[in-house]
Amino acid sequence: AQSVTQLDSQVPVFEEAPVELRCNYSSSVSVYLFWYVQYPNQGLQLLLKYLSGSTLVKGINGFEAEFNKSQTSFHLRKPSVHISDTAEYFCAVIRNTGGFKTIFGAGTRLFVKA
Amino acid sequence: DTGVSQDPRHKITKRGQNVTFRCDPISEHNRLYWYRQTLGQGPEFLTYFQNEAQLEKSRLLSDRFSAERPKGSFSTLEIQRTEQGDSAMYLCASSLVADSGNTIYFGEGSWLTVV
């Protein structure tokens, strides 16, 4: 079975500062990894995904994430955040062979302050 | 190209009543999922359909919950004899079998409040 741990429940940061949201996963098999964003009272929107190849993946809204197999991590970064980035961010994992169930972490609330 | 559509968006019901949520997936998507999300938590998997076949149900899905996808298109999630602990957002998502990454796309969710 797979599991996801998001190490920070809340991350406050000032506007235009860089941010990193941390995600670690556990799995006995190879996986695909995802980051989703959720704005208040809305569903989840895909930010980016890692399937294979380059370990640095770029997504929408200037976000990027780096897959580190040895550390089983998939941290999300943005070099300069905006007020509009305030939202809940979820890391997710699915096994890459025969998988159909995406498993989500508990989420990290990013709060961008002016 | 429309996304995943859920109805109703909000439902307030009295304890003991039955409620039904509907989900219309992205039109060519043959996989459909129901998740439940409570405040401060990530989505928890409830059940999964491939076409009209329900292939897995979570232990979270008690016998008061039933989901159907009669023609492999839209799906319904019914909760019978609702309890206050059922209050949550119910999220529907869909994906394409041919998508090797099985990226799932979510609807806006249906909020349930049981009073």
Side-chain angles (χ1 to χ4, degrees), chain A residues 32 36 49 100-102, chain B residues 33 35 37 56 100 103-104:
Chain A
Y32 297 135
Y36 284 83
K49 60 184 175 182
F100 60 84
K101 186 191 302 185
T102 304
Chain B
Y33 309 80
Y35 281 80
Q37 186 180 22
E56 182 160 333
S100 60
T103 304
I104 60 174

Side-chain angles (χ1 to χ4, degrees), chain A residues 80-94:
Chain A
S80 175
V81 295
H82 303 289
I83 297 286
S84 59
D85 292 323
T86 294
E88 192 88 20
Y89 292 80
F90 293 95
C91 182
V93 63
I94 187 171

